[in-house]
Structures are given as structure tokens and as C-alpha cells.
Amino acid sequence: MSSNAELFDRACRSIPGGVNSPVRAFRSVGGTPRFIKRAQGPYVWDEEDTRYIDYVGSWGPAILGHAHPEVVEAVRAAALDGLSFGAPTRAEVELAEVLIQRLPSLDQLRLVSSGTEATMTAIRLARGATGRAKIVKFEGCYHGHSDSLLVKAGSGLLTFGNPSSAGVPPEFVSHTLTLEYNSLAAVQAAFAEHGADIACVIVEPVAGNMNLIKPAPGFLEGLRELCTRHGAVLIFDEVMTGFRVGPQGVQGLTGIKPDLTTLAKVIGGGMPVGAVGGRADLMAHLAPLGGVYQAGTLSGNPVAVAAGLATLRLIGQPGFYERLAAQTLRLTDGLRQRAQAAGIPFAADAIGGMFGLYFRDSVPTSFAEVSDGDVDAFKRFFHAMLERGVHFAPSAYEAGFVSATHDDAVIDATLDAAEAVFAGMKA
């Protein structure tokens, strides 16, 4: 049996930084990443056979818990018929129909292989449809690693304190306007100055890549009104929130209808799937109908689509989201109470099956407020919980996720561990 440390040393010799996605490296919290060997329900086991209660959930997709037997069976059955065809299948049509049925903003959609590919395609589509070049995004929101979006982005970039990326020429981002999340006044000023040149506004309608940040009252409504008035495309990046916070994502909770929506994570049930969809007149600009080119050999991969269809069927059952939200609140309320009892500055927030933990006195509303939190306190909390068998995201700038398998016993075990950790932090 190899230890996590031995595997990490070995990985560093063949993989840059020893990981295939930066936040996995534990750079922001220190220590050695856990190499996961298997997972079941709310638990993951590392290569040393240590079990952890998991609140990462593959960064969102594991809404049913890990290795749900019906999803695994759907994958097995699809794989027996072949792994990839590079040709249309009935299942991809069925997945498109299910997504369109559940999200009223979708007239049509295009399946892709990742959230990054979905957001990249959405922006290209908005530019192609409007004939404009500028895009508006928000500080701390992460929409994948395509060049024009790596400007004050969230997720791993915030973790490392580097709000941009080397290798992106300045001219690639010269048309990207980055504004403060939840500042409608900043958006109004941007449209007043550049309105005729703005192709789109892309936003995480609930941010999850600078920790969990909810939209301020009127913020999303204001974005909708400004985009409509100026002829810009409003893109909701629901890669993380889609089918995570409710049966119709954030747009269902708010009643706000974006022009384009990007999806991934839950719609693939843990397999690599993404989608971009929206108004039919916009979608008609995509090749082969229009001049906006997008293609992918693995788009609509039959095995991934099978996992997504099985997942969407199961989470569509009555009462699913009510139970999920209740367990998430049980976790965040319990953590807040135990931190308060220990005298630790701490806040928590939740929506659907997503949550945020903040080592500060109140729930933040912007990246600047998130950055005011006590990152060192988070590091101590993270490692102490990990030692007690609870696996949170290894970054103070990431949301967490609860699954349908996080029952009362699992939540109680987490809260018991947290009570001991908070007491130790105070001491």
C-alpha cells in the first residue's frame, strides 16, 4: 500500500504540481493531498484506507452521493454498447429534451464535454450573434480557463492569490470588463460607457468559486433589465448551481430568464458533460446552421449521457430538493452554533445542496469581503477536521456540497468533530 505522501512525490515527477487540477494540490492550506481510491454514498477512502465524510462531492456532481447503484448500472449498460461513436445517439436527444423540459429558458441546447467548453461556447455565440466584442464578468466568478475569462477569476486562481494567468496575451482580455459582484451601479456605469459594444454579461447567479456568495436583492433583476435595454446577451453560468440549488437552478428560484445558460457537473452525474442552451434565435447561430463554429468528438458521449439521464431522473423525484436543503441547513446551522459556543468568529450560508463557510463575523457579499476572512483559521479548521475524518474543500474560496446520502448520522458526526475542533482552536 502506498501512502498519500509517497503517491504525491511520485505524481510530482510526472504531473505538474502533482495534480491535474490546481486546487487539488493543497497549496493554499499546506500538507499533502489525499489520493482517493474509492467512494460510496457520503464517504471517500484514500490510498491509506482512511475514510472521510466528503463535502467536496467531486465539486458538485455527486448530488446523489458517490457511486449511486442506479447511475453505475446506467453507465455499465451504456458502456457495454460502446464507449464513443462520434455520431448522434438517441440518448443525447433524450438528455437535451429533459433539460429543455426542466429549464424554461432553454429552447435548444448543444451538448459539450465540460463547463469550460460550455462557457467558452456561450461567449463566442453571444459575440457572433451580436457582432460585438466586449464582455462583462465579475470579480471572483470563475467560468473556466479559456483565455478571455482569466481576469480576476475565482476558484483555484483566487486560492493562489493570483487573479489572472500567465500565458494569456493582454489583447485576449482587452475586451473583458471585470466588475464587482453584486455592484449593479458598476454594471450600469459599464453599459453607460460601452453599451453599444457589450456582447454579453456572464455571471454565476449564485457564486461558488469565491466561496458561496448569493446575489444581492435586485442584482440579477438589474442585469436582466440592462441586457434587454442594450441588446446584450445575459448568460447564467449554472455549471455549479444547475440542478444543485433547486430543480430549475437559480433561474427557477428567482424567476429570471437568461438568454443563454451553461450547465455541467450534475447533468453528467459525475461523468464529463457540459451544455450551452437558450433562445432559439441565438442557438441558430451555431454551426452547422450558422457561422459560430463549435465541435467536439466526445460531445454527447453515450456513457456520460447515460449517467446524466439516470441522475436527472432520480433527483426529479418529489421532495428530493426539500430534503437536500434541510440537511444542508442542518449542517451550516450546527457549525455556526458550535463556533459561536466556542467564541470563534464564523459565519455560514446555504442554498439548496451548496454551502459556504467563512471565518468572519458575517456572510460576505463580494470577493473583497471574502478576502477579509481569517484564512489561517480556515487552514487550522480544515486540517483538524481532516484528521477527524471530515473532508472539506482545501481552499477558503470554494463552496461545499451536501448529497442525498448525508443523513442525520453523517451530519451529527461532522458536527461532533467540529465541536472538538472549534474548542481546540479557541484554546
Side-chain angles (χ1 to χ4, degrees):
M1 178 189 300
S2 297
S3 69
N4 293 304
E6 290 169 340
L7 278 171
F8 190 50
D9 287 342
R10 179 179 164 190
C12 286
R13 293 193 291 271
S14 56
I15 302 170
V19 292
N20 285 305
S21 189
V23 76
R24 302 176 190 174
F26 276 37
R27 288 285 183 92
S28 71
V29 293
T32 301
R34 301 310 191 254
F35 281 68
I36 304 305
K37 179 166 62 175
R38 63 187 179 94
Q40 183 68 55
Y43 303 111
V44 294
W45 285 261
D46 68 12
E47 284 286 345
E48 298 174 12
D49 279 330
T50 301
R51 190 189 76 173
Y52 304 89
I53 298 172
D54 182 34
Y55 290 102
V56 177
S58 190
W59 305 97
I63 192 168
L64 294 167
H66 293 287
H68 190 284
E70 293 184 47
V71 177
V72 171
E73 174 56 27
V75 168
R76 187 195 69 82
L80 287 174
D81 289 332
L83 300 179
S84 178
F85 310 131
T89 67
R90 177 190 295 269
E92 68 187 52
V93 178
E94 292 173 352
L95 180 57
E97 290 172 342
V98 168
L99 294 172
I100 290 168
Q101 180 184 36
R102 296 198 187 184
L103 295 184
S105 69
L106 304 186
D107 295 328
Q108 291 187 320
L109 66 84
R110 173 67 59 84
L111 293 177
V112 294
S113 296
S114 70
T116 288
E117 190 179 356
T119 55
M120 176 183 71
T121 301
I123 288 172
R124 182 182 300 159
L125 179 55
R127 283 172 162 158
T130 62
R132 302 173 181 179
K134 293 188 182 300
I135 67 173
V136 171
K137 70 174 293 291
F138 297 94
E139 185 175 16
C141 286
Y142 177 71
H143 306 290
H145 60 268
S146 57
D147 286 348
S148 63
L149 292 169
L150 289 178
V151 184
K152 295 192 175 181
S155 193
L157 291 172
L158 287 182
T159 298
F160 295 135
N162 179 16
S164 191
S165 173
V168 179
E171 56 269 25
F172 279 35
V173 297
S174 61
H175 295 299
T176 302
L177 306 175
T178 304
L179 309 179
E180 182 183 353
Y181 190 79
N182 274 331
S183 175
L184 191 58
V187 186
Q188 291 168 335
F191 271 104
E193 184 174 354
H194 303 287
D197 298 319
I198 293 175
C200 65
V201 174
I202 185 168
V203 62
E204 288 184 84
V206 170
N209 288 289
M210 53 176 164
N211 215 318
L212 178 72
I213 306 292
K214 293 178 180 176
F219 178 62
L220 297 178
E221 292 85 351
L223 297 184
R224 176 66 281 174
E225 191 277 329
L226 285 165
C227 286
T228 300
R229 189 197 319 168
H230 292 275
V233 175
L234 177 60
I235 304 171
F236 272 13
D237 179 353
E238 296 225 45
V239 164
M240 187 174 287
T241 58
F243 303 105
R244 239 301 160 185
V245 301
Q248 295 178 328
V250 178
Q251 54 199 270
L253 298 177
T254 62
I256 298 169
K257 191 174 181 179
D259 301 304
L260 293 175
T261 298
T262 59
L263 300 164
K265 297 189 184 293
V266 169
I267 72 164
M271 298 289 285
V273 179
V276 55
R279 287 174 14 211
D281 63 300
L282 290 173
M283 298 302 292
H285 286 273
L286 279 176
L289 298 179
V292 177
Y293 194 74
Q294 182 277 331
T297 298
L298 296 179
S299 295
N301 175 269
V303 180
V305 165
L309 282 169
T311 299
L312 289 168
R313 176 177 55 80
L314 290 163
I315 65 177
Q317 296 176 352
F320 178 87
Y321 284 99
E322 290 79 5
R323 293 189 295 271
L324 183 68
Q327 290 303 93
T328 308
L329 284 173
R330 194 168 189 271
L331 172 70
T332 54
D333 287 348
L335 289 171
R336 190 186 305 110
Q337 292 163 6
R338 283 153 179 80
Q340 185 178 13
I344 303 294
F346 181 87
D349 204 1
I351 180 170
M354 289 177 62
F355 65 88
L357 309 178
Y358 326 94
F359 282 85
R360 62 193 311 273
D361 290 325
S362 60
V363 173
T365 62
S366 67
F367 169 55
E369 291 184 2
V370 172
S371 299
D372 283 340
D374 189 339
V375 175
D376 287 336
F378 171 80
K379 292 177 184 178
R380 296 197 301 275
F381 173 81
F382 169 81
H383 280 292
M385 291 296 284
L386 199 64
E387 287 299 313
R388 287 166 173 80
V390 181
H391 183 220
F392 288 109
S395 168
Y397 296 99
E398 297 286 355
F401 304 94
V402 170
S403 82
T405 57
H406 285 74
D407 60 17
D408 288 352
V410 171
I411 301 294
D412 287 345
T414 303
L415 297 178
D416 288 344
E419 185 170 4
V421 168
F422 284 134
M425 290 174 66
K426 186 62 177 178

